[in-house]
Amino acid sequence: MTTTPQAVRRASPRTRRPATPAAPDPSAGLLPQAEPVRLLNPDGTALPSRADCPEPPVEALREMYRRMVVGRRFDVQATALTKQGRLAVYPSSRGQEACQVGAILALRDDDWVFPTYRESMALTSRGIDPVEVLTLLRGDWHCGYDPAQRHTAPQCTPLATQCVHAAGLAYGESYQGRDTVALAFIGDGATSEGDFHEGVNFAAVFKAPVVYFVQNNKYAISVPLSRQTAAPSLAYKGVGYGVPSEQVDGNDPVAVLAVLTRAVAHARAGHGPYLVEAHTYRMEPHTNADDATRYRDADEVEAWRDRDPVARLETYLRAKGVLDDAAVAAIAEEAEAYAADLRERMNAQPTVDPLSLFDHVYAEPTPQLVEQREQVRAELAAARDSEGDA
Ligand SMILES: Cc1ncc(C[n+]2csc(CCOP(=O)(O)OP(=O)(O)O)c2C)c(N)n1
Ligand SMILES: [Mg+2]
């Protein structure tokens, strides 16, 4: 009997060769969810809870609110200090409070933080004296605090360099049997830098316990995200290196803390690095020296005002019955006192000696540095003389 093709087709349920099992998806568990994780609506009302992202304890959220309010007041004060000539420059993180504070609350005190120039609020939220935090930004040669004691690296201005530092430190810690985690902050624009890719790759290959925390605030100075990357989201950059990644609504404090807590636990458990992209927005110009009206519309900024992270958390905690008028007023008062103390101490600080800039570059200064130092010294002396004549 000849078998027609039709007969084969009819008989196929019994005669077909067993199907090859589907190859496991190598990206399973690495790709971020298509939508950023969100636990609160922009108006502060709660969304249904999620098994994959448990809500942090209410006490942690109350503390987060307190630190965000104090942090915002600090930020306003620092901006004012630039106008009074007490600070050379200040990059504001207004609008990014949930990210700044959430990152710190997700860590233990002995974990390491690798900040950029944008993270002054995160560092004050970590309990570092604000005068120390602002030391670099007033033009001194050192970062003000002791990095080893505070487990906090100096704020990095060269973009993305902190990504390799964090990988190295975290690898060293795990090599020595400690369960320390390092969290490296990074901006959207800086994920285009080579050091970001090298850091993430190294951390992945050597399973270094690092959380790479991308604050996507939509701009790299005047360059919008659309001119920075063609990636569907910055979190997708992790998958190429084998790093599990997640997106989160960076103006939803509850979601930020929940996602970062999960990321830190992953790294601490020895599973290697984790990448979190927080979608947020820089409400202020890049620094006090920038004019943001030259490259973005007021309407765009206004739209983000409705997603204010501080108001969002306040509404949520009030509805939960764990924050009332008296508590809000007490925290506002604490924030005022914090700012007043900062203002007073920054006014009393001596000015920085520009020549100290040359003191610690090399143990033996190079001939070029000696020459440059002499040039600066002569210029300062000439300026002093002409002031004296006036
Ligand atoms: C290696 C390097 N290149 C360029 C700069 C100049 N620069 C300073 S901040 C900045 C934008 C960075 O944007 P982003 O990473 O999004 O961080 P954000 O300032 O928005 O927090 C640039 C290009 C620098 N500091 N370092
Ligand atoms: Mg940015």
Side-chain angles (χ1 to χ4, degrees):
M1 192 182 93
T2 54
T3 313
T4 62
Q6 285 83 353
V8 170
R9 218 173 287 138
R10 267 198 308 278
S12 67
R14 247 176 293 143
T15 56
R16 201 194 311 140
R17 271 182 290 156
T20 321
D25 175 0
S27 68
L30 299 181
L31 279 168
Q33 300 179 56
E35 286 297 317
V37 174
R38 180 172 294 143
L39 296 171
L40 297 186
N41 284 308
D43 66 2
T45 52
L47 285 160
S49 56
R50 302 169 52 137
D52 67 334
C53 210
E55 185 177 317
V58 75
E59 269 319 306
L61 294 175
R62 250 185 75 114
E63 177 60 10
M64 189 170 187
Y65 173 76
R66 189 184 73 78
R67 293 195 201 190
M68 284 168 65
V69 170
V70 175
R72 176 168 290 185
R73 186 63 190 86
F74 159 78
D75 192 81
V76 168
Q77 188 57 56
T79 299
L81 287 165
T82 63
K83 296 184 178 140
Q84 294 153 8
R86 291 288 172 192
L87 262 187
V89 66
Y90 181 70
S92 167
S93 49
R94 190 182 180 91
Q96 300 178 217
E97 290 87 351
C99 298
Q100 296 279 308
V101 175
I104 299 305
L105 282 177
L107 296 170
R108 294 194 316 223
D109 284 350
D110 64 336
D111 287 331
W112 270 79
V113 172
F114 286 81
T116 79
Y117 49 85
R118 180 86 49 213
E119 270 69 67
S120 295
M121 191 192 295
L123 303 198
T124 57
S125 163
R126 206 170 199 211
I128 304 178
D129 183 333
V131 174
E132 292 180 1
V133 170
L134 295 175
T135 302
L136 265 185
L137 294 170
R138 64 205 307 263
D140 218 325
W141 60 265
H142 60 85
C143 74
Y145 50 88
D146 177 352
Q149 192 211 345
R150 306 307 309 226
H151 284 208
T152 305
Q155 290 178 270
C156 253
T157 295
L159 297 179
T161 48
Q162 73 279 6
C163 294
V164 275
H165 304 159
L169 182 127
Y171 177 61
E173 287 287 292
S174 64
Y175 189 76
Q176 292 175 71
R178 290 192 282 271
D179 69 348
T180 321
V181 170
L183 183 142
F185 286 93
I186 179 152
D188 43 290
T191 67
S192 301
E193 287 281 342
D195 277 351
F196 166 74
H197 298 270
E198 290 168 29
V200 174
N201 186 57
F202 181 97
V205 171
F206 291 96
K207 282 206 178 311
V210 190
V211 174
Y212 287 101
F213 183 36
V214 184
Q215 286 174 96
N216 175 0
N217 64 8
K218 310 293 179 284
Y219 287 90
I221 313 185
S222 56
V223 179
L225 191 66
S226 58
R227 302 288 296 165
Q228 189 68 244
T229 183
S233 117
L234 299 172
Y236 283 77
K237 293 192 179 187
V239 67
Y241 298 106
V243 175
S245 306
E246 191 58 279
Q247 310 185 65
V248 64
D249 178 337
N251 285 25
D252 174 350
V254 181
V256 168
L257 186 54
V259 168
L260 285 175
T261 300
R262 197 176 64 184
V264 169
H266 170 98
R268 200 179 313 285
H271 303 309
Y274 199 104
L275 193 152
V276 175
E277 176 192 17
H279 294 269
T280 183
Y281 194 78
R282 194 195 76 212
M283 297 301 290
E284 295 290 320
H286 175 70
T287 68
N288 52 297
D290 172 43
D291 176 5
T293 61
R294 293 176 62 179
Y295 54 83
R296 67 184 189 186
D297 290 337
D299 291 355
E300 182 184 296
V301 183
E302 270 318 300
W304 279 89
R305 259 184 236 295
D306 295 338
R307 303 185 219 176
D308 182 70
V310 179
R312 197 161 171 179
L313 185 56
E314 182 178 329
T315 305
Y316 178 65
L317 293 176
R318 279 179 182 272
K320 250 182 137 48
V322 293
L323 192 71
D324 58 14
D325 287 349
V328 168
I331 292 169
E333 205 173 302
E334 179 192 341
E336 279 312 313
Y338 188 91
D341 174 64
L342 172 62
R343 202 164 49 233
E344 201 174 302
R345 289 193 295 135
M346 289 296 280
N347 283 335
Q349 285 281 322
T351 52
V352 177
D353 175 9
L355 289 179
S356 66
L357 196 64
F358 297 93
D359 288 348
H360 306 284
V361 185
Y362 295 105
E364 292 291 330
T366 60
Q368 289 86 349
L369 275 182
V370 171
E371 196 184 320
Q372 287 169 19
R373 188 181 193 284
E374 177 49 28
Q375 199 179 338
V376 174
R377 194 204 56 75
E379 281 178 19
L380 290 171
R384 261 195 309 274
D385 288 350
S386 65
E387 267 170 34
D389 295 343

